[in-house]
Amino acid sequence: MKSNIESKFGSVIYDKINTVRMSETERQAAINAMHDADAIVDGILWVAHKIEQLGALLFMRPSVKH
């Protein structure tokens, strides 16, 4: 879930795309590229979070003491 700052930043970018003079095809391509970039970043963050969780499980296990 995105914070308000991230949502605001994203909307500013989309607002800029909508104000630049370009053809509708170019505008749609720019918006699609932004969607793709957003999905890639979300995926990278998800993987990083899962690695962090896995690391916590592996390294925080109590050791067996004799």
Side-chain angles (χ1 to χ4, degrees):
M1 186 173 239
K2 295 188 184 219
S3 69
N4 287 338
I5 292 171
E6 290 170 325
S7 295
K8 184 176 181 179
F9 178 70
S11 68
V12 169
I13 291 172
Y14 287 105
D15 288 345
K16 293 242 183 237
I17 289 171
N18 287 324
T19 59
V20 173
R21 191 165 58 169
M22 64 176 86
S23 71
E24 193 55 39
T25 304
E26 292 172 322
R27 187 176 323 283
Q28 193 58 49
I31 289 171
N32 289 342
M34 290 302 302
H35 284 256
D36 291 347
D38 192 36
I40 291 168
V41 169
D42 286 345
I44 291 169
L45 291 175
W46 182 86
V47 168
H49 181 70
K50 292 300 177 184
I51 291 171
E52 180 182 354
Q53 287 177 334
L54 180 61
L57 287 174
L58 293 176
F59 298 114
M60 299 305 260
R61 289 184 181 172
S63 61
V64 178
K65 294 185 179 182
H66 299 279

